[in-house]
Amino acid sequence: MVWPFGGSKKDTESLPSPVTSNEPLVVDRAPTTSDSSTAPLESKAPSPELPTFLSAESFDVSKLHPLAGLDKALEALDLEDDALSDLPGSKGFLPSRGWSDDLCYGSGTMYMSGLALGGAYGLAEGLRQSPTSATAKLKLNSVLNAVTRRGPYLGNSAGILAISYNVFNGLFDVYRSYHDAYNSIGAGFITGILYRSTKGIKPMAISGALMGTAAGVWSYLTSAI
């Protein structure tokens, strides 16, 4: 016989009968809370160690401040004695660390000097050429045109002359293994000739003589002071 609830009669007879007595039903329940004293102690994981470069002994956080170290002298402007050029005759009023040092500082100084002198000459020229009846705007335009025309031209010319002079002067120093006024005069003479080489023989000779004389006077003054 098939029982109507999906099982047989034998299966239903084997089930325990429901409690019909009036005695309270006692149900064993597991404790909901555990005693903290009896719970096993959890082992703490060891804290990760900091890298050596972040330790207090080898890393100073105060050095990261933007104004840190301003109380000390600027080391970039100090010339160490062992870094200076040991070429005979190179010691003078202006210490040098070699031809590359002279090339960089000499070219920059001459360019800025030529730019300033050309700008001043252009300022005077613009004020002189502007008519007296012109308005302030026209005078300002005339001055700016003269300054931008004279300043960059003279600055670029002085920078090119300084680069050529220092290159030839360094070559003479290496060839002769000695630094003196003769190297400077020869470098100035060759630089002047090359600078006016497209203008003819006479301008080349005049330019070479002027550059050689100026280089010789400069070399004598720096070595004598």
Side-chain angles (χ1 to χ4, degrees):
M1 179 180 179
V2 179
W3 200 251
F5 298 102
S8 62
K9 185 176 181 181
K10 293 181 180 181
D11 296 335
T12 57
E13 291 178 353
S14 62
L15 295 175
S17 59
V19 180
T20 56
S21 62
N22 296 327
E23 296 180 358
L25 180 61
V26 179
V27 180
D28 294 336
R29 295 180 179 179
T32 56
T33 59
S34 59
D35 190 1
S36 60
S37 61
T38 59
L41 297 176
E42 296 181 357
S43 60
K44 290 186 176 181
S47 58
E49 297 181 357
L50 292 175
T52 56
F53 65 89
L54 291 179
S55 60
E57 292 79 6
S58 60
F59 185 75
D60 189 5
V61 184
S62 62
K63 294 181 179 180
L64 299 178
H65 196 275
L67 301 179
L70 292 182
D71 55 337
K72 301 178 181 179
L74 295 178
E75 298 180 356
L77 301 180
D78 296 336
L79 291 177
E80 299 179 0
D81 293 337
D82 55 353
L84 297 178
S85 176
D86 55 353
L87 189 67
S90 60
K91 302 297 186 297
F93 174 70
L94 296 176
S96 173
R97 287 179 292 187
W99 74 272
S100 59
D101 184 75
D102 297 338
L103 180 65
C104 295
Y105 285 101
S107 304
T109 302
M110 291 300 295
Y111 174 77
M112 295 302 297
S113 301
L115 194 65
L117 292 176
Y121 178 75
L123 176 62
E125 184 183 17
L127 292 175
R128 185 178 64 253
Q129 292 180 355
S130 59
T132 57
S133 60
T135 61
K137 187 175 182 180
L138 291 177
K139 289 183 179 180
L140 179 62
N141 189 25
S142 176
V143 168
L144 291 178
N145 288 335
V147 168
T148 55
R149 182 175 63 253
R150 299 297 183 181
Y153 172 76
L154 190 58
N156 293 335
S157 301
I160 292 173
L161 291 175
I163 291 175
S164 302
Y165 166 77
N166 284 285
V167 168
F168 287 114
N169 196 18
L171 292 176
F172 286 147
D173 290 344
V174 174
Y175 179 75
R176 298 181 61 216
S177 299
Y178 193 80
H179 180 81
D180 55 4
Y182 295 106
N183 295 348
S184 300
I185 294 174
F189 184 74
I190 296 176
T191 300
I193 288 177
L194 291 179
Y195 183 70
R196 305 292 289 183
S197 58
T198 59
K199 302 297 182 179
I201 301 298
K202 186 177 180 180
M204 289 171 57
I206 295 175
S207 177
L210 292 177
M211 281 293 299
T213 303
V217 171
W218 171 256
S219 178
Y220 174 77
L221 291 177
T222 54
S223 61
I225 296 178

